[in-house]
Each structure stands twice: as structure tokens, then as C-alpha cells.
Amino acid sequence: MKKFTFLCGMPRAGNTIIGSIINSNKNIKMTSYSVLPYMINDLILLKNCNSFRSFPDHKSFDNVLKNLFNNYYSDWDCEHIVERGWWGTDLNLRALDEIFKDTKFVILWRPVLEVLGSFVKVNKKNFIRDEDHLRYYVNHMMGDHGAVGLPLRSIKNLIEKKRNYKIFNYSDFLNDPKTFIINLSNFIGVDIQLPKKINQFNVNGMYYNDSAIGQEGLHTISENLKYVNKENYKDYLPKDIINKYKGIEYELKS
């Protein structure tokens, strides 16, 4: 069985470029935002259907769940996988505990307002029509199942449950990517080398297709380590949105 480390990161926090660095190495690969949490949730919900309730064969059902990771990644030619998703929610943690003896979690952190500002910066040219639409978009992302609210809830749960995690700050990557990757390697337990050239994120020859979700450029990276300007969220978020969400704004300490 392959070895897994689970990445519960904030979006817009360097996941794509860090994944590109990891994927340039032979024995370790990082996933895109994984569909496996959705598959696990849907499988567990099947236990509520009448067919299962009338004949509750838990052992056979759990065989499917326990082999999900092996089957899904059977064609991945590597020894270690960094699985990115909202793995810190209660349901997903219970499922992981059924499948694995030990689980280790990387928390990739970026302050919430910076994340929201970065989303707005990208999508102003894609679909955000005006400030009212911008407010709706941000509030939707901050919902319990939204693009920001869900990973935030997952991260908080990992910390509250005192799971085996380590926090990696996006700002540390920007300031010193070499040291960041060394520290990440040490925590995961796999040697990760920083490549001379950064390529667009891909695994097994597959690349992101952001146009399919109407967010062109969301996962496009410049192919060097100085690609990010230190953007100011105040340039992209209205004052009322900043005031609404600054109460949950905090820095996590590793």
C-alpha cells in the first residue's frame, strides 16, 4: 500500500506551486483538490438507503471503503502521495481512521482575508459583475460548505482534535522557498528536491482545465519562484466585507 500524507490547506495559499515542486520528484506526488472526500461521503450516505438498511452487510461495504485509496491510486507510479482535500471534517477523519493506522496532516495556511482578496483578484475578470455580486460571491465562499469556509472548518477541527499536524505558512514559502521545502520534507519523511525550473501543475500528464469551471487562470503559475506579488486584500475587498470577516482573521503558529 502506498503511503499517504493529507494536506488540509487554505485555497490560494500556494497549493498549486508547491504541488508542482513535489510532482517534479520521482517517489512522491501531490494530488489536485481531491474528489476522494466526496466519494467517501457519498459512500457513507448509501448506508441510509433502503437497500442497505434492509440488508446491512457492513463488512462487505467497508471492504469497498478500505480499498478506495489503493484502487484509485493503483496506476500512480510513486511510493508516497500527498492527498489534498478537506480531510479534517469529522466524517472524513472517522473514515481515515477506519482505513489507516496513522494519519499525518499538513496544514497550509494563509490568512482568510488574503485568501478572499486573491479569489476576487482572479475572478474579477472571469465573472464578478459588480460589488453586489462580489459580496454574494465572498459570502458564498465563506459558508460552511464554501470554497473557503469548508477548508477553514476542516483545519480548525484538526487543531481542536489535536491530530498529528504541522502548520506551514504561505508567507514562509514566499520568503524562503528552499527552507520551506526542507521543513516540509522533514515532516512528511520524504526527500523533496526544489527543481531548477517550475512547471505547470500536472500528474500523470494531466493538467488543470480552469476554463471548465469558469475560473480561467485560477491554477496557472509563473514558472519561477518570484511569481507572486504580495497582494493587498484591501485593494480587492469592500470595507464592509473586511469588517465582516476580520473577526476570524488570525495567524496560526507552527
Side-chain angles (χ1 to χ4, degrees), residues 33 126 176 178:
Y33 203 76
N126 286 322
D176 187 352
K178 183 176 181 180

Side-chain angles (χ1 to χ4, degrees), residues 45-250:
L45 285 174
L46 284 174
K47 287 192 173 184
N48 295 322
C49 74
N50 287 337
S51 296
F52 186 84
R53 290 168 63 192
S54 65
F55 196 85
D57 185 358
H58 287 277
K59 185 176 180 180
S60 298
F61 187 98
D62 291 344
N63 284 338
V64 175
L65 185 63
K66 290 178 179 179
N67 284 286
L68 184 64
F69 283 83
N70 277 342
N71 290 337
Y72 191 89
Y73 290 109
S74 61
D75 293 331
W76 287 45
D77 186 19
C78 61
E79 298 174 1
H80 202 115
I81 292 173
V82 179
E83 235 284 344
R84 180 190 170 203
W86 35 284
W87 291 109
T89 62
D90 282 333
L91 187 63
N92 283 322
L93 283 178
R94 287 198 298 270
L96 292 182
D97 288 342
E98 288 289 326
I99 300 169
F100 300 99
K101 291 183 179 179
D102 299 298
T103 48
K104 184 183 291 187
F105 300 90
V106 170
I107 295 176
L108 185 55
W109 177 254
R110 186 179 186 183
V112 176
L113 289 176
E114 289 185 19
V115 171
L116 295 175
S118 183
F119 266 117
V120 170
K121 179 183 177 182
V122 170
N123 286 318
K124 262 193 167 181
K125 61 185 179 182
N126 286 322
F127 58 77
I128 295 175
R129 299 185 299 271
D130 51 39
E131 284 213 347
D132 285 339
H133 189 209
L134 185 156
R135 290 182 178 90
Y136 171 82
Y137 172 57
V138 169
N139 288 328
H140 179 73
M141 285 196 295
M142 288 301 296
D144 278 350
H145 298 280
V148 181
L150 180 55
L152 181 61
R153 179 161 57 91
S154 172
I155 289 168
K156 286 184 174 180
N157 199 45
L158 282 175
I159 294 170
E160 289 171 1
K161 295 287 176 64
K162 298 181 179 179
R163 303 298 293 238
N164 182 14
Y165 68 84
K166 185 174 178 60
I167 297 164
F168 292 85
N169 287 292
Y170 179 54
S171 58
D172 292 337
F173 175 75
L174 296 181
N175 293 329
D176 187 352
K178 183 176 181 180
T179 300
F180 182 98
I181 294 299
I182 290 172
N183 291 336
L184 183 64
S185 298
N186 290 338
F187 179 70
I188 294 176
V190 178
D191 180 41
I192 302 171
Q193 294 294 319
L194 196 65
K196 294 181 179 179
K197 183 178 183 297
I198 305 295
N199 296 313
Q200 296 300 321
F201 183 99
N202 79 91
V203 182
N204 301 327
M206 294 191 65
Y207 294 79
Y208 276 109
N209 179 16
D210 291 333
S211 60
I213 58 172
Q215 299 189 63
E216 195 72 44
L218 187 67
H219 296 101
T220 301
I221 59 174
S222 296
E223 295 178 351
N224 62 72
L225 290 176
K226 299 184 182 297
Y227 80 112
V228 175
N229 293 320
K230 292 192 175 180
E231 45 200 20
N232 186 350
Y233 62 82
K234 294 180 181 178
D235 294 337
Y236 304 101
L237 300 176
K239 288 183 179 179
D240 58 307
I241 289 291
I242 293 172
N243 290 334
K244 181 175 182 179
Y245 293 115
K246 69 181 180 181
I248 62 169
E249 193 56 60
Y250 56 92

